Amino acid sequence: MSKDYLNSSDNIGFVGNFRPPERSTSETIKLFLYNRETGAVFGRTGASWGKIGLFYLIFYGVLVALFAVCLWVFSQTLDPRIPSCKLSGSLIGTSPGLGFRPTPPDENVESTLIWYKGTDPEQYQFWTKSLEEFLKVYRIPGLTPGRGQNIYNCDYDRPPNENQVCDVDVKNWFPCTQENSFNFHKSAPCIFIKLNKIYDWRPEFYNDTNDLPEKMPKDLKDHIVNQKKINSQLLNTIWISCEGESPADIENVGPIKYIPRQGFPGYFYPYKNSEGYLSPVMAIHFERPRTGILINIECKAWARNIVHDRQERVGMVHFELMID
């Protein structure tokens, strides 16, 4: 096409693609931020910004509404107190584990060693403070929501009803009391044991003293037989035994006293997530453990439907005790 044709006045309606004027980087940025000719800000006019803003407002509003409806529908299928998966259908399973207190500091989360010097208050203060914090909810009922008027003084012949929770009075468990520093200062500490909660789990008790497990410690078997002579209802107990793991540990751990009794009474079960419920605890008083040596201790819970598995930490708990 000739140059004369492009310059001809007869071709006023011709529109062509011409190279845009060259601009510097700063001019391009300024034009992007605000274009005086079109009134565009960041490449869009006010009307364009209004349209895209309205679109995203509606889009995200619909998403939030759908999410809220899904949460509401999901919440209608859940009960705040009853888990949807229970016992064998849950990850917890049907055999509870044991826990001990006090536990080592958080930075040593994998450790199970209780180590201190009996004559140094600064060393055993961490352990006693930890126990005080753990037992605070047992000592002060108001710290547990709903725990107050529904507390009931349970016994083997006085189980609680659906609206009651059994009291756990830890204040008079001498020498395992807060006022006595849980006997840590005498190098004869008290370690507290608790059974993990499983909703609706019911223990199967050893009611027949002639059919006790072969692996059950002899002193516990003798204790169960004596309890039956006192009152057969006392057999409705989840028994606890603690002993050294090896022959050397058994010798070094010394005599053990269980406070207030050697097990958890059956009237605490089944656990129904009742308002104000607290797991039963008991104190293990090591009366004369050998000092200056590491002692491996293993505690087991005994009921017909409690399985003992060291690897999975089911039905038992392991910890070490070392007193300098």
Side-chain angles (χ1 to χ4, degrees):
M1 187 178 294
S2 65
K3 185 175 181 182
D4 294 337
Y5 178 79
L6 292 174
N7 295 329
S8 173
S9 60
D10 296 334
N11 298 291
I12 296 175
F14 176 80
V15 178
N17 294 325
F18 298 99
R19 184 177 181 182
E22 294 185 359
R23 297 186 178 91
S24 65
T25 302
S26 60
E27 289 176 335
T28 303
I29 294 174
K30 290 178 181 179
L31 192 64
F32 173 73
L33 295 176
Y34 179 67
N35 190 327
R36 292 184 178 180
E37 296 179 5
T38 62
V41 178
F42 293 111
R44 289 184 180 275
T45 62
S48 178
W49 278 116
K51 290 177 182 178
I52 195 171
L54 180 62
F55 167 78
Y56 279 111
L57 181 65
I58 295 173
F59 177 72
Y60 286 113
V62 171
L63 284 183
V64 170
L66 286 174
F67 182 68
V69 169
C70 290
L71 283 181
W72 180 81
V73 173
F74 180 67
S75 67
Q76 300 308 302
T77 65
L78 299 177
D79 190 296
R81 293 195 176 277
I82 303 175
S84 55
C85 298
K86 298 183 292 185
L87 298 174
S88 58
S90 68
L91 294 176
I92 299 176
T94 58
S95 187
L98 277 176
F100 75 95
R101 295 291 188 281
T103 53
D106 293 338
E107 55 267 24
N108 297 328
V109 66
E110 295 295 329
S111 175
T112 54
L113 174 61
I114 300 173
W115 181 13
Y116 72 99
K117 188 174 183 179
T119 57
D120 188 350
E122 291 186 2
Q123 286 201 16
Y124 63 73
Q125 188 176 37
F126 166 80
W127 306 104
T128 56
K129 290 293 183 184
S130 179
L131 275 178
E132 288 176 17
E133 188 66 27
F134 170 66
L135 296 173
K136 188 180 293 184
V137 292
Y138 292 91
R139 293 173 58 89
I140 309 174
L143 295 179
T144 304
R147 188 174 176 86
Q149 294 182 351
N150 62 341
I151 296 179
Y152 181 62
N153 188 20
C154 305
D155 206 339
Y156 287 92
D157 56 353
R158 296 195 309 272
N161 61 35
E162 293 182 358
N163 300 318
Q164 295 173 328
V165 293
C166 295
D167 188 24
V168 184
D169 187 7
V170 301
K171 297 177 182 178
N172 301 317
W173 292 0
F174 188 85
C176 302
T177 60
Q178 178 175 323
E179 294 74 18
N180 193 48
S181 298
F182 305 104
N183 224 47
F184 271 72
H185 61 300
K186 295 184 178 180
S187 299
C190 296
I191 308 300
F192 284 72
I193 299 291
K194 63 184 289 291
L195 196 68
N196 296 339
K197 294 180 290 188
I198 298 181
Y199 185 88
D200 208 26
W201 178 78
R202 299 170 185 267
E204 297 175 7
F205 306 111
Y206 286 110
N207 296 114
D208 185 1
T209 55
N210 296 319
D211 189 28
L212 298 177
E214 207 175 302
K215 294 183 179 180
M216 180 182 283
K218 185 180 182 305
D219 59 341
L220 177 55
K221 289 181 180 180
D222 295 338
H223 177 73
I224 294 174
V225 171
N226 290 331
Q227 292 296 294
K228 183 180 181 180
K229 293 177 181 178
I230 298 172
N231 185 351
S232 60
Q233 287 186 331
L234 298 178
L235 295 180
N236 295 330
T237 300
I238 301 173
W239 304 106
I240 298 295
S241 67
C242 293
E243 57 185 358
E245 288 191 351
S246 68
D249 294 322
I250 294 174
E251 182 180 349
N252 294 328
V253 74
I256 297 175
K257 185 178 181 180
Y258 302 87
I259 304 173
R261 59 178 62 84
Q262 194 171 349
F264 302 119
Y267 50 74
F268 281 97
Y269 305 94
Y271 165 63
K272 291 288 189 178
N273 199 17
S274 302
E275 191 174 21
Y277 177 90
L278 289 176
S279 296
V281 295
M282 59 181 297
I284 313 296
H285 178 210
F286 297 94
E287 297 182 320
R288 291 189 302 276
R290 181 167 295 181
T291 58
I293 191 169
L294 182 70
I295 306 173
N296 294 282
I297 300 165
E298 186 175 74
C299 295
K300 293 181 180 179
W302 295 91
R304 294 187 184 278
N305 55 343
I306 292 181
V307 178
H308 298 143
D309 190 322
R310 285 184 179 178
Q311 187 172 1
E312 297 296 330
R313 298 182 180 181
V314 175
M316 60 174 61
V317 67
H318 163 90
F319 58 92
E320 303 94 36
L321 181 63
M322 186 170 181
I323 306 172
D324 289 336

